[in-house]
Amino acid sequence: MADFMISFLICNLWISVIAGIILAVRRFFYRFLTNRAKYRLWFLLLGCCIVPLLPLPAMRPSQLSDLFRLFLSPAAPANPITAEQAALVRASGAAGWLQDFSVTVSAKTPSGIWQGLCFVWIAGIGVMAVSMLLPTLRFYRIRQSALPLQNAAVRGVYQRCREEMRVKKELPVYSTAFLTSPVIAGLFRQGIYLPIFVVSDYPAGKVRYMLLHELAHYKHKDTFVQMLMKLARMIYWFHPLVCYALSEMHTDREAACDASVLELLCEDAYADYGNTLLDLAQHTSMPCVPFAAWIGGNTKQIKKRVLNIARYRPPTRAQRIQSTLALLGTAAVLSGFLPLLSVHAAGDSRYVWKETGKKIQYIDLSGAFDGYNGSFVLYDTADGTWQIYDKDAALTRTAPASTYKIYSALLGLKTGTITPKQSTIRWNGQAYSFASWNADQDLASALKNSVNWYFQELDARIGIRQIRNHIHEIGYGNERVIGDTDHYWADGGLKISPVEQVELLQKFYNYTLDFAPEHIEAVKQAIRLESNSSGTLYGKTGTIGYGDSRISGWLVGFVEQENRTCFFAANIQDAANADGQTAWQITLDILAKLQIWHG
């Protein structure tokens, strides 16, 4: 929930920028744009407002987007290890290397505020939906009571208007006493509705103007656009710039329809058309039709339209070309914002996995998980088979915690910050809760004891820019690095799914990542746990904890045997008691059940 709301807020910041660009283009090129082009400019904003709600595939996040998220996310404390202490105490009775699975825990990022914002947003959408539903129901009753147009003279005017506007379809025309403005309404059963006073009191010439206007709306599919505008207003009810833009879009839409009518009239009739608009405005209020286009508007909109009619001149060929170029140029500029507007791209909460051509078995391991939510993924090189428990969870990304230290170590070796022969970093003298941390560390001991300060110092020497490049190059999870070098792998936005963990371990094992073989071998030996008749076991745990609660536990690794290698990743989730130690015990049971490893 928090991820979605933060990402959606970031999208809204970009939408503000896009709206500003469109307003600037509209202002600076106002004299060169046709009325229709000014209206179509807003289509670009309307499309951008839809993008955040589409289920687009994950795209590489922008570093500027990361910067926004950094300002929105609470800072983490300097030494987040509280829950790890509890994990170590609980594991202190285990023998040998099992004690070494101490894990890194993040600080809690309060999510209540984001849940509250989400509730307010959804409540606002509900209010807006009701405000549209009630007029829709009222219009349904009006439509039921409306009568087909009986006035022969007006019907004759309508037929001539169809020919002038080159509309082939004959739309039904109705008269009603319950509307104060002519409208064209309906998405699938469109019709033109004329107030009775228009049919009975207005001369044929003025009725012609009104019918031409409504037919122009039909010709340009404005009722469908009106629906999109209403939906955008409903979803972005809180966004003042979007609401302002939609109001301007309404004015430009009517001005575009005015221009479509004026193109059919002689210049002497322009004033008469404008006077008809003013006269109708005296009787008109906004109709209770949410998905409709009508000739009227509020006082400010009518004033703008009348001034526009007074200044109207038929567009020249040069003006049409300039308008087309301005639209295409603006669209090209705004297309660069599209990757930033996807909530899925911004949040990257799920891995889009291509299953085609893979041998996959979905297995039931709920008994082994003993009530924990989570997943298990295994890839067996012997027959190229994937075995997966809980596909949905296996493709859901979560913070990697200490499992990322495998790749942090590789980067340290690649940059020369440490070497396989000289990887010692001196202890800074700060007293930590774990005795094994209070000493100088080399790569083997730091991975074995999951020493936070060692990897924080390593990352500080490397620098956040190289870390970002490294994560992009190896394709680590959502590739999102936010904040400083201390916590990005625990609560800084970096997330990875169990399936991705297994895929990356395969690349690590097969030397297909861009690292020297001796560097991969050094890290591989540092995460080596045990050898017996089942083979050799390698692995790394990780835990995410909030205070004294542990909410996510990881174990990733592989079992190396003579004729095959089995790569695995397990992740568990719980409100209070999910950690790497528990993930390890669950994985041991599963590997034994699958006849892969017996400890």
Side-chain angles (χ1 to χ4, degrees):
M1 184 69 72
D3 278 352
F4 174 83
M5 288 307 298
I6 292 174
S7 298
F8 189 57
L9 180 57
I10 292 171
C11 290
N12 276 273
L13 295 176
W14 287 119
I15 286 172
S16 299
V17 173
I18 290 167
I21 291 173
I22 293 174
L23 285 168
V25 171
R26 188 171 171 271
R27 178 180 178 83
F28 289 115
F29 297 97
Y30 194 87
R31 293 176 55 193
F32 304 100
L33 296 174
T34 65
N35 287 286
R36 183 62 58 182
K38 293 169 191 172
Y39 173 45
R40 286 174 176 164
L41 268 175
W42 296 115
F43 284 33
L44 302 176
L45 177 64
L46 208 56
C48 290
C49 286
I50 294 171
V51 170
L53 308 174
L54 298 178
L56 298 178
M59 292 172 276
R60 179 167 293 183
S62 162
Q63 302 225 347
L64 189 55
S65 177
D66 287 344
L67 204 56
F68 278 123
R69 185 182 289 265
L70 173 60
F71 288 121
L72 293 169
S73 300
N79 187 29
I81 60 174
T82 306
E84 185 169 23
Q85 298 173 16
L88 279 182
V89 170
R90 196 164 54 102
S92 60
W97 50 261
L98 189 56
Q99 293 184 26
D100 301 330
F101 273 78
S102 65
V103 288
T104 305
V105 188
S106 74
K108 184 173 183 178
T109 302
S111 60
I113 185 171
W114 301 111
Q115 292 174 345
L117 287 174
C118 186
F119 174 80
V120 171
W121 175 53
I122 293 173
I125 291 176
V127 171
M128 294 295 291
V130 170
S131 71
M132 285 193 293
L133 178 61
L134 294 178
T136 301
L137 294 175
R138 285 198 296 269
F139 176 71
Y140 177 77
R141 291 195 293 269
I142 291 173
R143 190 177 66 181
Q144 294 296 103
S145 65
L147 298 174
L149 181 65
Q150 302 297 321
N151 190 302
V154 175
R155 290 194 64 83
V157 172
Y158 169 65
Q159 295 301 332
R160 290 192 294 275
C161 289
R162 279 182 54 224
E163 294 174 4
E164 287 185 89
M165 195 57 70
R166 296 180 182 179
V167 173
K168 295 181 180 180
K169 183 177 180 179
E170 184 169 357
L171 298 174
V173 182
Y174 303 94
S175 62
T176 176
F178 300 101
L179 289 176
T180 60
S181 170
V183 299
I184 179 170
L187 295 176
F188 305 107
R189 295 169 53 194
Q190 293 190 38
I192 296 175
Y193 297 81
L194 298 176
I196 287 179
F197 74 87
V198 168
V199 175
S200 59
D201 299 342
Y202 277 67
K206 293 185 181 294
V207 174
R208 174 189 171 220
Y209 298 148
M210 299 177 197
L211 289 171
L212 284 173
H213 188 94
E214 300 309 323
L215 287 170
H217 278 310
Y218 171 77
K219 187 174 181 178
H220 293 97
K221 307 294 188 294
D222 285 341
T223 53
F224 176 73
V225 177
Q226 175 72 6
M227 180 193 71
L228 295 180
M229 291 170 63
K230 285 291 186 181
L231 291 177
R233 188 179 290 275
M234 181 175 70
I235 294 168
Y236 293 92
W237 59 267
F238 58 90
H239 200 307
L241 201 52
V242 171
C243 293
Y244 172 76
L246 291 174
S247 177
E248 290 296 294
M249 185 177 182
H250 171 83
T251 303
D252 287 344
R253 182 190 71 193
E254 296 306 312
C257 275
D258 289 337
S260 296
V261 174
L262 294 174
E263 286 181 18
L264 301 176
L265 304 179
C266 61
E267 189 171 350
D268 293 341
Y270 293 175
D272 193 29
Y273 178 80
N275 288 330
T276 300
L277 187 64
L278 285 172
D279 182 55
L280 191 62
Q282 298 176 12
H283 305 282
T284 299
S285 60
M286 186 176 294
C288 57
V289 189
F291 302 136
W294 61 95
I295 195 171
N298 59 40
T299 303
K300 184 178 179 181
Q301 291 168 336
I302 293 292
K303 182 179 178 180
K304 284 184 179 180
R305 288 172 60 190
V306 170
L307 291 174
N308 190 62
I309 291 169
R311 293 192 294 258
Y312 177 79
R313 294 293 180 273
T316 63
R317 184 172 182 271
Q319 192 178 15
R320 293 181 189 277
I321 293 173
Q322 290 168 349
S323 295
T324 301
L325 292 176
L327 277 172
L328 293 176
T330 307
V333 170
L334 297 186
S335 66
F337 289 86
L338 293 182
L340 305 174
L341 290 176
S342 170
V343 167
H344 299 267
D348 288 332
S349 60
R350 287 183 60 78
Y351 177 44
V352 181
W353 193 40
K354 296 180 180 178
E355 300 180 49
T356 306
K358 294 181 174 69
K359 296 170 61 178
I360 305 173
Q361 298 176 2
Y362 294 104
I363 56 179
D364 182 9
L365 297 174
S366 54
F369 275 75
D370 193 26
Y372 286 98
N373 295 318
S375 65
F376 178 82
V377 178
L378 183 136
Y379 177 75
D380 189 342
T381 61
D383 56 4
T385 299
W386 290 81
Q387 297 189 68
I388 297 177
Y389 165 65
D390 197 330
K391 175 184 174 181
D392 184 66
L395 296 175
T396 299
R397 288 168 167 161
T398 190
S402 291
T403 65
Y404 172 73
K405 290 174 182 175
I406 294 172
Y407 304 96
S408 179
L410 284 173
L411 180 59
L413 291 166
K414 180 178 181 178
T415 58
T417 308
I418 56 175
T419 69
K421 293 184 179 179
Q422 181 49 262
S423 61
T424 300
I425 296 180
R426 291 189 176 278
W427 173 44
N428 60 12
Q430 180 179 342
Y432 294 96
S433 300
F434 315 118
S436 60
W437 288 21
N438 299 326
D440 296 349
Q441 304 287 336
D442 60 15
L443 180 61
S445 64
L447 276 170
K448 177 180 180 180
N449 297 312
S450 200
V451 181
N452 280 5
W453 68 257
Y454 179 93
F455 291 96
Q456 289 169 345
E457 175 63 23
L458 191 62
D459 284 343
R461 295 181 186 182
I462 294 170
I464 199 69
R465 177 173 295 182
Q466 285 197 73
I467 291 170
R468 284 196 176 101
N469 292 337
H470 163 66
I471 284 174
H472 289 328
E473 286 170 3
I474 67 175
Y476 193 91
N478 64 356
E479 304 180 19
R480 182 173 295 278
V481 178
I482 304 170
D484 56 24
T485 56
D486 283 352
H487 307 106
Y488 65 91
W489 36 264
D491 56 6
L494 186 63
K495 294 183 179 182
I496 192 169
S497 68
V499 169
E500 289 171 291
Q501 291 269 30
V502 170
E503 289 181 331
L504 204 55
L505 282 173
Q506 292 178 67
K507 295 177 182 178
F508 166 81
Y509 183 83
N510 294 319
Y511 299 93
T512 56
L513 296 175
D514 185 25
F515 299 102
E518 59 269 24
H519 295 160
I520 291 177
E521 190 61 29
V523 175
K524 180 181 174 182
Q525 292 307 313
I527 62 171
R528 183 177 179 273
L529 301 177
E530 185 182 14
S531 293
N532 62 25
S533 58
S534 298
T536 303
L537 178 65
Y538 301 81
K540 187 74 185 77
T541 56
T543 298
I544 297 294
Y546 293 164
D548 292 328
S549 298
R550 299 170 299 282
I551 64 156
S552 177
W554 278 103
L555 175 67
V556 304
F558 50 93
V559 176
E560 189 178 50
Q561 298 174 344
E562 185 176 351
N563 297 317
R564 67 171 181 172
T565 302
C566 295
F567 302 89
F568 58 83
N571 177 257
I572 58 173
Q573 307 280 333
D574 188 69
N577 295 305
D579 57 25
Q581 295 290 336
T582 306
W584 163 248
Q585 294 295 342
I586 289 172
T587 303
L588 273 184
D589 293 341
I590 293 172
L591 292 177
K593 180 179 180 180
L594 297 177
Q595 301 294 313
I596 293 173
W597 172 266
H598 297 278

